[in-house]
Amino acid sequence: MALLRAFIRTARMVKNTSRLAAGLPADDEVLLDAPDERLAPALVAAARGEYDIAAKLLAATREAAEWENRDRYARRLAVFARTRDGWLQTWQSESPHDPDALLVKAELAVRRWWESPARAELLREVGPLIGAAAEGDPRDPVPWRIALDHARGTNAGHTEFEQLWTEAVRRSPHHYGCHVAALKYLSAAWYGSHRECFDFAERAAQDALPGSLVQALPVRAAFAYLTEGGRAVIPRERLDEAADLAIAVSAAYAPADPWPAEVRNLLTYVLIRLERWQDALDQLRLIGPYATSFPWDRVSDDPLGQFLELRDGVRLEVASIIPLHPRSERGGRARSGDH
């Protein structure tokens, strides 16, 4: 019987895998961390050593209070500056008090020291940079998101962290980046537990605005639980509920939309771990060409390769459970003469 089941599984995969590629871009069309149409010109200019477009982009997000975009763009510009920072140095020298340059400088400083064995000590020296960025525009929650990450890296206690959290949510109660920073602090890998992490994520999701990515926060808690392990046992039902909520959030956005791409990639990872293959395939179709480093860089040094490999694996799993002879439209099983 085992041999027969294996034979049937293989036959199903051969028959069904090719047609399951419908709606999925070819491997060479998938991009890793592709910038959107506003960020791309800023990165191209920065590669030439020019900062003007990046400065205008961040100034526009600040003036329009586009805090979510501002956070994402500042992160991406800081990542770029880790290897090519001439444009940022020029910007800082010409406009030392520019709140947008100060923001990127603070984010870059935290990122540079994060992986150091002396992280806590080195990050403490970054505190004044974050303070300067926060003073640049008192309305801006993004420096406070950086401060929350900084507090985690400097081993700040709960009281200090809660003070920073209060400042952050006073400026933007539903800011996604700040909520992710708090979730990381409360995770079992840092200063909390899996239960604290889930409790916080579920409360935040309940209070979130319709369509907000904060509603998908529980799936981040699920990811932490599935990857970090620990003694606490989170019921499978709670993991499935987190995934279901993130699926609903994903459905609110258009297919191949770069904005929810990271949440969709994260959700796909969780669905794979839960062996919810069809749901995972659905998310892969919604992701389209927008693979993101996170979460795949947590499990592989080649995040794009990992994404593509698992995408193929999900297709195989779905193909293996599709019957060889699906029922006809009349409700009965198709006969050989119907083919």
Side-chain angles (χ1 to χ4, degrees), residues 29-36 72 76 176 213 220 223 256-270 283-284 286-308 310-311:
E29 295 175 350
V30 178
L31 307 172
L32 186 68
D33 300 326
D36 65 20
R72 288 197 180 194
R76 291 296 302 276
Y176 179 66
L213 295 183
R220 275 190 173 263
F223 172 81
D257 185 341
W259 177 255
E262 185 178 274
V263 166
R264 283 171 169 164
N265 277 257
L266 177 64
L267 170 58
T268 299
Y269 176 92
V270 170
Q283 291 305 311
L284 287 166
L286 290 173
I287 288 169
Y290 293 108
T292 57
S293 291
F294 178 77
W296 314 111
D297 60 359
R298 299 301 189 271
V299 294
S300 172
D301 293 332
D302 178 14
L304 180 56
Q306 181 72 79
F307 172 83
L308 294 174
L310 288 174
R311 193 175 69 157

Side-chain angles (χ1 to χ4, degrees), residues 52-109:
D52 289 355
I53 297 180
K56 290 177 182 177
L57 174 63
L58 289 180
T61 62
R62 177 166 46 84
E63 291 163 4
E66 296 178 27
W67 305 128
E68 300 288 8
N69 280 328
R70 181 173 178 79
D71 197 358
R72 288 197 180 194
Y73 295 155
R75 290 175 192 251
R76 291 296 302 276
L77 289 166
V79 168
F80 185 85
R82 287 193 67 175
T83 55
R84 304 180 69 174
D85 65 352
W87 60 277
L88 181 57
Q89 292 181 10
T90 302
W91 186 6
Q92 292 167 351
S93 64
E94 295 183 2
S95 305
H97 303 296
D98 187 316
D100 307 311
L102 290 171
L103 182 68
V104 179
K105 183 178 180 180
E107 175 70 18
L108 174 60

Side-chain angles (χ1 to χ4, degrees), residues 203-251:
R203 285 196 302 270
Q206 290 173 358
D207 296 337
L209 298 173
S212 168
L213 295 183
V214 174
Q215 289 185 316
L217 211 60
V219 88
R220 275 190 173 263
F223 172 81
Y225 174 73
L226 292 169
T227 56
E228 295 167 8
R231 296 180 180 178
V233 177
I234 302 298
R236 168 64 189 247
E237 179 182 1
R238 202 171 186 182
L239 299 175
D240 281 320
E241 288 174 353
D244 291 340
L245 184 55
I247 288 172
V249 173
S250 175

Side-chain angles (χ1 to χ4, degrees), residues 1-232:
M1 288 297 294
L3 181 60
L4 178 59
R5 284 194 295 268
F7 176 79
I8 293 174
R9 178 182 173 89
T10 301
R12 286 173 174 173
M13 288 190 289
V14 170
K15 177 181 175 62
N16 296 314
T17 302
S18 60
R19 68 183 181 85
L20 290 173
L24 297 175
D27 286 2
D28 59 2
E29 295 175 350
V30 178
L31 307 172
L32 186 68
D33 300 326
D36 65 20
E37 68 279 0
R38 296 174 70 187
L39 178 61
L43 294 175
V44 171
R48 297 195 300 261
E50 302 167 4
Y51 70 85
D52 289 355
I53 297 180
K56 290 177 182 177
L57 174 63
L58 289 180
T61 62
R62 177 166 46 84
E63 291 163 4
E66 296 178 27
W67 305 128
E68 300 288 8
N69 280 328
R70 181 173 178 79
D71 197 358
R72 288 197 180 194
Y73 295 155
R75 290 175 192 251
R76 291 296 302 276
L77 289 166
V79 168
F80 185 85
R82 287 193 67 175
T83 55
R84 304 180 69 174
D85 65 352
W87 60 277
L88 181 57
Q89 292 181 10
T90 302
W91 186 6
Q92 292 167 351
S93 64
E94 295 183 2
S95 305
H97 303 296
D98 187 316
D100 307 311
L102 290 171
L103 182 68
V104 179
K105 183 178 180 180
E107 175 70 18
L108 174 60
V110 171
R111 288 178 176 270
R112 273 185 169 158
W113 298 129
W114 193 264
E115 300 300 330
S116 171
R119 175 177 57 205
E121 179 180 350
L122 292 169
L123 282 179
R124 290 190 185 100
E125 300 175 4
V126 176
L129 293 179
I130 301 173
E135 292 172 0
D137 188 333
R139 304 172 303 150
D140 188 0
V142 183
W144 295 96
R145 190 273 302 157
I146 299 174
L148 291 171
D149 288 336
H150 178 263
R152 179 164 52 94
T154 55
N155 306 319
H158 279 68
T159 299
E160 180 181 348
F161 193 88
E162 288 171 2
Q163 292 171 347
L164 296 172
W165 171 251
T166 299
E167 293 292 337
V169 296
R170 184 166 65 84
R171 288 162 173 80
S172 183
H174 306 288
H175 188 265
Y176 179 66
C178 290
H179 279 78
V180 171
L183 190 74
K184 290 178 179 178
Y185 184 90
L186 293 171
S187 70
W190 289 91
Y191 307 110
S193 67
H194 290 306
R195 288 194 176 91
E196 286 179 277
C197 194
F198 263 95
D199 289 346
F200 171 79
E202 289 167 351
R203 285 196 302 270
Q206 290 173 358
D207 296 337
L209 298 173
S212 168
L213 295 183
V214 174
Q215 289 185 316
L217 211 60
V219 88
R220 275 190 173 263
F223 172 81
Y225 174 73
L226 292 169
T227 56
E228 295 167 8
R231 296 180 180 178

